[in-house]
Each structure stands twice: as C-alpha cells, then as structure tokens.
Amino acid sequence: MRDFIANTLARSPLNELAVYWLGNVPGLPPIAQSCHIAGIAIMMGTIVLIDLRILGLAVRSQHIGEMIRRLMPWVWGALLVNATSGLLFVVARPYRYFYNPVVAIKFSLLALAVVLALVVHGRALREPDYWERSLGRRAVSQGIALVSLVLWIGVVLAGRWIAYSDYLFFYG
Amino acid sequence: MTMPLAGLWNYLQNHPTAQHIGFTYWFPLLESVHVLAVGLVVGSLLTVDLRLLGLAAVRYPASRINRELIPWTWGAFAVAALTGFGLFVTRASVYIENPAFQIKLGLLCLAGLNMAWFQFRTFRYIHGWDSSGRTPFAAKFAGGMSLVLWSGVILAGRWVGHII
C-alpha cells in the first residue's frame, strides 16, 4: 500500500510540477516552510492556548466555550495551510517522507490530536458550557487537554526531526 | 572585510560546548524546541495584535488580552533566544555573515522598538478605547507592524538555513 502510493506519486505529473516549482521559483522552499511555521504559530495561539486555558494555566478571564467558538475556525484554517505547504515537499520527494520513521510518528500524534480536537471542540461548539456543567466533565476535559497539549508539542518537535532522522536511527 | 568582533565569534564556535551541540543530537533538539518557542511567541502575539487592530476578541478589553498573553510571549521568547543562541554558537562566524541572519536580527530589533513604543506611549492612553472594538491609529499601527515584522522574522529565520 505504502509502496503503491509512493510509486504512484513519484511517477505522477504532480511530482514533476512540485520538483520544478521548488527548484525554479526563487525562494519557494523557505517561503513554503515559513507558511508552515506560521501555521504552527496559529496552532500555538489557538488550540494549545485553549488546552492551557482548560488546564487553568492561561487566559483565565476568558470563557472556555467562547474561546473554542472564536478560535477553532483558525485551527482548521491553519491545518489546511500546513497540509498544503507540507504536501508540496512530500509530493516532490515521496520516498524521503514515506519511508521515514519520524514521519510515521508525527502523523500518528497528529491524527490523535485532531480526533481529540474534534471531540472536545465539537461538544463545545454545540453546547458552549458542555465541559463546565459538572466536575466529572471538567476533569475529563482537563485530562484531554493535557494529552492534546503533549500531542501538539510532539507534532512540532517530530516535524523538525524529520530532517534529522539519521540522528535517531543509527545504522552502524 | 573582516567581521567586527571576529575574535569573539571564533572563540564561541571553538568552545567545546558549541562543538558538542554541532556534532550531536543537541542541534536538532535545540532547533525543534526553537521552532516550538517561536510558534508560541507569534501565536500568543497574534491575538494581541488582532485585538489592537480591532479584528478579534473585541469583547475583551485590550488591556486584559495584553496582560494575560504578553507574559507567555516573553516566556517563549526567552526559550527561543536561549535555544537560538545555542544554535548560533555552533557556527557563529558563518551565521554572523549570513544576510538572512542579519536581516532577522534587524527585524527583531524593529519588533522590540515597536513593542516598547506601544507599551510606553500608546498604552498610557488605553483607557480611552480599552473596551471598544474601534481602536485608534496608534494601536492599529502597533498591531499591524508587529504582525508584519514577526512574519519577516519567521521568513528570514527559515531562510538562514538555506544560505549556509
């Protein structure tokens, strides 16, 4: 399955296009990477801040349900920006990413973090006070916020380590 | 032309700690924490700047957004500066001549000046518009400049690695 997708991508015209753009549009690699980092910054200022708020560590005057309603659209926007800017590099060099163990780690953490975001924020979008209605719910939301926080930090760290996976997995 | 303080940059990069960072997992470790910290610097400023522009979180007083978020910005900035210094010393005399690195430092200084001007001048008169979504030009200018300058810092910072 992985071989099939990597091979298909490597032989597709999209691969040629991405390779051409990255090699010929002046400054495109650092510009696309900067968009990716700007997307990370938005994540830190939205979903990570919401997690810190739920844990009682930041912006305590702000209402959790209101924060979620106000900030979650930014999270999905930033995910879209990062998916686009990231795909440019994956499509250009599929083998470099598809067979890199750090990529697998990053995307496992990311998938879990997105599922948690959908659960916690989905509830609060429908019912702003959902997570504050009882002590039990509050405890659950704090547990989820802590896990979510660790996951997002892990996604960012792992993302940067993709380029250094040789350090992590020594061959000899 | 030789770089000013050439002796200092040489001393730094020949220091055993700098060598150790440069040749071990410490470099990617510091670099990944640097990206995380930069993300938190800009992410925490984003709401502050958009509030100054009157574009977001207008239901909260601007002073409160400022008070609750700026400590996170400074904490993250300290981590970014420390990890950034750790990365810099591994090849100090090369980075100091890197135009992207020079531009990044210049933009950082401008962002600092912009912030100081806002905190010490504009902020003094904040009570006049604190709870309003309609912010004065000085506040809009500070918020807009901050967004532009920090975007530039990210771009120049990422470009540093493409020149070496």
Side-chain angles (χ1 to χ4, degrees):
Chain A
M1 181 68 185
R2 181 167 63 172
D3 294 344
F4 175 75
I5 300 175
N7 287 333
T8 310
L9 265 183
R11 291 194 208 105
S12 75
L14 281 177
N15 168 262
E16 260 179 71
L17 197 65
V19 169
Y20 178 80
W21 280 350
L22 286 171
N24 291 282
V25 180
L28 184 60
I31 289 168
Q33 288 163 344
S34 296
C35 292
H36 207 75
I37 297 173
I40 290 172
I42 293 175
M43 295 294 191
M44 302 299 285
T46 55
I47 196 154
V48 167
L49 196 68
I50 291 170
D51 289 337
L52 290 169
R53 170 65 191 89
I54 292 174
L55 290 168
L57 297 172
V59 293
R60 293 168 82 157
S61 79
Q62 296 186 22
H63 181 255
I64 293 173
E66 185 275 334
M67 273 184 91
I68 290 171
R69 276 164 186 264
R70 169 162 52 90
L71 298 178
M72 283 314 284
W74 287 81
V75 174
W76 308 126
L79 264 181
L80 190 69
V81 169
N82 281 18
T84 311
S85 51
L87 261 176
L88 179 65
F89 293 93
V90 175
V91 170
R93 295 174 70 183
Y95 297 114
R96 183 186 183 217
Y97 293 96
F98 273 74
Y99 298 94
N100 187 326
V102 187
V103 171
I105 295 172
K106 171 177 173 173
F107 280 90
S108 309
L109 300 176
L110 181 63
L112 210 57
V114 170
V115 169
L116 290 184
L118 286 171
V119 172
V120 178
H121 308 108
R123 293 279 184 186
L125 282 181
R126 276 191 292 279
E127 196 184 332
D129 289 327
Y130 183 88
W131 295 108
E132 286 154 295
R133 282 277 159 80
S134 71
L135 281 177
R137 282 189 187 172
R138 187 170 295 191
V140 170
S141 73
Q142 288 180 339
I144 295 177
L146 186 62
V147 175
S148 165
L149 191 65
V150 172
L151 288 172
W152 284 110
I153 291 172
V155 170
V156 177
L157 297 184
R160 189 55 284 206
W161 274 85
I162 288 170
Y164 295 98
S165 65
D166 297 345
Y167 274 93
L168 279 176
F169 303 94
F170 296 99
Y171 304 104
Chain B
M1 192 192 95
T2 54
M3 213 60 201
L5 301 172
L8 175 63
W9 314 131
N10 260 320
Y11 168 78
L12 285 175
Q13 68 189 8
N14 290 323
H15 194 278
T17 310
Q19 300 271 317
H20 185 73
I21 296 170
F23 291 106
T24 63
Y25 65 89
W26 272 95
F27 193 88
L29 182 65
L30 290 181
E31 198 180 43
S32 55
V33 175
H34 190 69
V35 173
L36 192 67
V38 169
L40 192 52
V41 168
V42 180
S44 59
L45 279 176
L46 194 62
T47 302
V48 176
D49 293 338
L50 290 174
R51 176 65 185 86
L52 292 179
L53 285 162
L55 295 176
V58 289
R59 74 169 69 193
Y60 298 104
S63 64
R64 196 196 293 169
I65 292 282
N66 210 62
R67 192 175 59 235
E68 286 187 334
L69 283 170
I70 294 299
W72 287 91
T73 311
W74 278 117
F77 183 79
V79 175
L82 208 63
T83 50
F85 183 72
L87 298 170
F88 169 74
V89 293
T90 60
R91 300 175 80 184
S93 63
V94 181
Y95 284 124
I96 206 73
E97 288 189 27
N98 184 321
F101 184 79
Q102 295 168 348
I103 290 171
K104 176 178 177 174
L105 286 189
L107 292 173
L108 273 173
C109 291
L110 290 177
L113 285 175
N114 178 53
M115 194 172 181
W117 180 269
F118 174 76
Q119 294 293 344
F120 295 116
R121 300 298 295 263
T122 313
F123 200 80
R124 270 200 233 159
Y125 310 101
I126 200 170
H127 50 82
W129 51 272
D130 200 11
S131 299
S132 165
R134 292 170 57 91
T135 55
F137 174 77
K140 286 194 171 76
F141 183 80
M145 280 310 283
S146 172
L147 287 178
V148 170
L149 290 169
W150 282 103
S151 303
V153 170
I154 290 179
L155 183 61
R158 184 53 266 202
W159 217 303
V160 169
H162 286 271
I163 288 177
I164 284 186

